[in-house]
């Protein structure tokens, strides 16, 4: 009801999938989780081919720790859109959260094969390879992910762990500086205040 009122207030067509998608994104940013989910589902109901809505709903449910629901949404989407790198990548992330590494690896490989420039698929594959101890390949795919999104501190941090895991201590420790930006991103504040320089 709140979403419909907002659509009416904005003068948007309540039968337009894109309008519902935009409302869902707005509600997600406002941490109105139930409204966001309802918006994504309404967009999908109006347009079952709306891959962006399917993928975002999957990510939204995953962020709320509702992995079973996220998996169901993504698998249903993949059944209708088997060549969507975005959906395969989302499924890979959910499987990784559940520690189903073989499934995470398989889904990430599908995503990277379908769309080699899809950064999440490549990054998820690097994660799976690292987790299973295939360190050389995790470094290779981690570097590829970084090339696709060079300003993403999360990917730089991940690449550091792959390099360290592969025995490249020099490159790994240098790249590990990205952890500071990663912590700032997670905690939404600048960290650390000052660097310790071996003084008191």
């Amino acid at each position: 009801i709140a979403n419909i009122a907002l659509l009416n207030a904005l003068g948007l067509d309540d039968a337009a999938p894109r309008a519902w998608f935009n409302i869902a994104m707005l509600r997600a940013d406002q941490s109105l989780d139930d409204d966001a989910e309802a918006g994504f589902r309404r967009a999908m109901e109006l347009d079952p081919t709306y891959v962006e809505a399917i993928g975002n709903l999957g990510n939204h449910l995953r962020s709320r720790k509702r992995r079973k629901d996220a998996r169901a949404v993504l698998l249903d989407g993949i059944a209708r859109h088997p060549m969507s790198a975005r959906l395969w990548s989302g499924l890979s992330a959910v499987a990784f959260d559940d520690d189903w590494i073989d499934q995470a690896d398989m889904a990430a490989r599908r995503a990277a094969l379908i769309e080699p420039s899809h950064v999440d698929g490549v990054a998820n594959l690097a994660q799976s390879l690292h987790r299973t101890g295939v360190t050389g390949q995790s470094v290779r795919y981690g570097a590829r992910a970084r090339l696709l999104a060079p300003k993403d501190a999360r990917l730089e941090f991940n690449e550091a762990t792959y390099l360290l895991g592969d025995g490249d201590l020099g490159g790994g420790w240098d790249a590990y500086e990205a952890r500071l930006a990663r912590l700032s991103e997670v905690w939404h504040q600048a960290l650390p205040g000052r660097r310790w320089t071996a003084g008191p």
Side-chain angles (χ1 to χ4, degrees):
I1 294 173
N3 284 340
I4 293 175
L6 183 54
L7 285 167
N8 291 335
L10 295 173
L12 298 174
D13 181 359
D14 65 3
R18 186 72 193 181
W20 280 101
F21 178 83
N22 289 337
I23 291 293
M25 294 295 289
L26 174 65
R27 295 307 201 188
D29 286 343
Q30 296 171 330
S31 298
L32 298 172
D33 294 329
D34 291 341
D35 280 357
E37 179 179 348
F40 287 130
R41 289 191 183 278
R42 181 60 178 152
M44 291 162 52
E45 182 182 315
L46 291 167
D47 181 3
T49 68
Y50 203 161
V51 171
E52 195 174 3
I54 299 167
N56 277 56
L57 177 58
N59 287 338
H60 181 68
L61 293 169
R62 176 186 172 226
S63 74
R64 296 176 68 189
K65 311 298 184 192
R66 290 173 53 189
R67 293 191 291 271
K68 184 177 179 181
D69 293 335
R71 184 177 297 105
V73 165
L74 293 165
L75 284 171
D76 182 63
I78 286 169
R80 287 181 280 124
H81 307 283
M83 296 303 289
S84 170
R86 178 184 182 135
L87 299 182
W88 280 110
S89 176
L91 184 64
S92 172
V94 173
F96 197 88
D97 287 348
D98 277 330
D99 206 31
W100 298 355
I101 305 305
D102 287 346
Q103 289 188 21
D105 180 80
M106 180 276 296
R109 285 179 189 277
R110 290 274 180 93
L113 183 63
I114 291 167
E115 190 179 333
S117 62
H118 184 70
V119 64
D120 288 342
V122 175
N124 289 353
L125 180 54
Q127 283 273 53
S128 297
L129 290 165
H130 176 69
R131 182 64 180 274
T132 54
V134 187
T135 58
Q137 285 192 49
S138 71
V139 168
R140 183 160 62 93
Y141 283 101
R144 191 163 128 201
R146 284 264 293 126
L147 285 174
L148 293 170
K151 295 182 179 180
D152 190 328
R154 172 184 57 107
L155 298 181
E156 187 177 2
F157 171 77
N158 288 348
E159 186 180 22
T161 63
Y162 307 151
L163 289 166
L164 291 169
D166 197 44
D168 182 352
L169 301 185
W173 284 121
D174 286 345
Y176 199 61
E177 291 297 294
R179 75 194 184 282
L180 303 178
R182 178 68 179 129
L183 289 172
S184 297
E185 177 187 308
V186 171
W187 287 337
H188 307 293
Q189 59 183 338
L191 296 172
R194 288 188 301 163
R195 236 181 231 284
W196 180 57
T197 55

